[in-house]
Amino acid sequence: CRPPAAFPRRSAPAARAPRVPATCAASGSGGSPDAGAGKVAVASKLKVGGYFALWYAFNVVFNLLNKGLLNVWCRPWTISTVQLGFGATYCAMLWVLGLRRRPNVSWKLLKAMFLPSLGHAVGNVASCVSFSAVAISFSHIVKSAEPAVGALFSALFFGEIYHPFVYMSLLPIIGGVALCSATELSFNWFGFATAMTSNFAFAGRNVFSKITMRDFEKDPTLIPQNTYGLISIIAFLLQLPFCLLVDGIPALLPTSASAIAAAVPASTIFGYLMASSLLYHLYNETSYLCLNNVSPVSFSIGNTIKRICIIFASIIFFKTTILPLNALGCAIAIFGTGMYAYTKNKYAPAKPKEAFPAPRM
């Protein structure tokens, strides 16, 4: 007979799936996507942070080593040319050995790269000559005025007129450089002029790259490292004849009185030269890695911080005497550089990516 309703027939209990801890479930394919996305974001930030750390380290050590070399062996034309040649050889070896994809080189591409390479060569040698003439901290303060030159060139060549706040942010840069120049103990017009020449040369390099490299923006082989490698090769070939004309083939003998008195050997000078050349190329390579992973304004701010690191490191390392007004001018110029990057990003209209987005030197 049928059992009463008060005592319903009980079916066999269904088998329960084993309980999986929350940590294990999240790690599986059906887990929370937020946890995986968070790990990827952290890994990406660590990678970019590592690039910036290497960029800063290579750049600071290069500047200190380069100035030390110039103090012992004052051949700025030869030093800058060897540094370009080292980078050119390095890139060429990567292409020959198949360690990096070769760029599609044509006469049209080489002609398009001529003017950017010329600007790169002039800026490189002018920077090195300035480092040999004045304190390296002062050279970098003057070089912080490059955004002002870039804004001028953008208006002249492209008709790009920025928001008034962008131009107002240039005033602290100009005023800070002027104050720093007026109170700089190592100031001389030659060192100031060559540092400003490098600003105009690098700003011109960026302008020329926008104009001449438009037809090659979609070339998959022209990754930033390959573009920089080609420009290094062309700049080296352009600079070499003038280097031979100015310096000839100088002996690796000390040129300063203190170095002569200390009898610095040729092997030491050669070691400094090779080390500075390697660091020069490495900091440029890592700067491209930074630029490819962050926005232009983040890179500009990072470049400003890098310049601060170089200035303070050189003051400490070379025991440079800094007057209060000189320090104030330096701080104002650096502050203006950061404000320029911020206001340009906030008020300037979006622009297409540059064909040759060259980092600041």
Side-chain angles (χ1 to χ4, degrees):
C1 66
R2 187 176 180 181
F7 303 96
R9 188 188 300 254
R10 297 183 62 185
S11 59
R16 290 186 177 182
R19 180 175 294 179
V20 181
T23 54
C24 297
S27 62
S29 58
S32 172
D34 294 338
K39 292 181 180 179
V40 172
V42 170
S44 178
K45 289 180 180 179
L46 290 175
K47 182 184 72 171
V48 174
Y51 289 156
F52 271 85
L54 288 173
W55 180 33
Y56 285 11
F58 289 149
N59 210 316
V60 169
V61 177
F62 161 76
N63 278 275
L64 298 180
L65 190 61
N66 199 48
K67 180 62 176 178
L69 174 61
L70 286 166
N71 288 341
V72 174
W73 195 59
C74 192
R75 301 289 185 183
W77 275 87
T78 300
I79 292 172
S80 62
T81 305
V82 171
Q83 288 168 353
L84 283 177
F86 188 98
T89 305
Y90 174 86
C91 292
M93 287 181 61
L94 291 181
W95 296 331
V96 170
L97 297 176
L99 300 177
R100 180 179 292 170
R101 186 178 181 183
R102 300 182 188 180
N104 295 324
V105 180
S106 63
W107 281 112
K108 183 179 179 181
L109 175 62
L110 295 178
K111 287 190 291 184
M113 284 187 165
F114 176 80
L115 287 177
S117 300
L118 178 62
H120 186 68
V122 173
N124 182 62
V125 70
S127 297
C128 200
V129 171
S130 178
F131 294 158
S132 70
V134 293
I136 191 172
S137 56
F138 176 67
S139 290
H140 276 283
I141 294 170
V142 176
K143 285 167 69 64
S144 68
E146 184 182 335
V149 181
L152 174 63
F153 279 16
S154 294
L156 292 177
F157 288 92
F158 302 112
E160 294 180 354
I161 304 300
Y162 299 125
H163 192 279
F165 284 166
V166 178
Y167 293 109
M168 287 176 62
S169 69
L170 296 175
L171 296 179
I173 300 176
I174 298 171
V177 171
L179 178 60
C180 192
S181 301
T183 57
E184 172 62 35
L185 296 177
S186 68
F187 177 84
N188 64 65
W189 282 107
F190 181 68
F192 174 83
T194 47
M196 283 302 299
T197 298
S198 73
N199 287 340
F200 279 90
F202 288 134
R205 174 195 62 184
N206 297 340
V207 167
F208 294 144
S209 69
K210 287 184 178 181
I211 296 174
T212 63
M213 296 290 291
R214 289 172 179 169
D215 294 339
F216 303 94
E217 292 180 358
K218 297 182 179 180
D219 188 339
T221 66
L222 283 181
I223 58 175
Q225 293 91 333
N226 280 350
T227 304
Y228 175 72
L230 289 173
I231 285 193
S232 294
I233 293 173
I234 299 172
F236 168 71
L237 296 176
L238 290 174
Q239 189 173 313
L240 181 59
F242 295 95
C243 173
L244 294 175
L245 183 65
V246 174
D247 282 348
I249 303 179
L252 292 174
L253 298 175
T255 56
S256 66
S258 59
I260 294 173
V264 177
S267 59
T268 299
I269 297 175
F270 181 77
Y272 272 45
L273 180 60
M274 291 297 101
S276 68
S277 299
L278 175 62
L279 289 169
Y280 175 79
H281 186 79
L282 289 177
Y283 93 70
N284 276 288
E285 285 263 354
T286 51
S287 67
Y288 276 108
L289 293 174
C290 294
L291 184 59
N292 283 344
N293 284 275
V294 297
S295 66
V297 67
S298 297
F299 182 84
S300 296
I301 294 172
N303 192 64
T304 302
I305 298 173
K306 178 211 72 177
R307 204 174 294 283
I308 295 173
C309 294
I310 294 173
I311 291 172
F312 276 95
S314 65
I315 290 173
I316 295 172
F317 188 82
F318 294 108
K319 300 178 181 178
T320 306
T321 302
I322 299 294
L323 299 177
L325 286 178
N326 188 261
L328 178 62
C330 172
I332 293 173
I334 295 299
F335 171 77
T337 305
M339 287 302 299
Y340 172 80
Y342 173 78
T343 55
K344 185 179 178 183
N345 177 72
K346 184 174 182 179
Y347 295 105
K351 294 290 188 300
K353 190 176 181 181
E354 298 178 20
F356 176 51
R360 276 56 171 180
M361 307 299 286

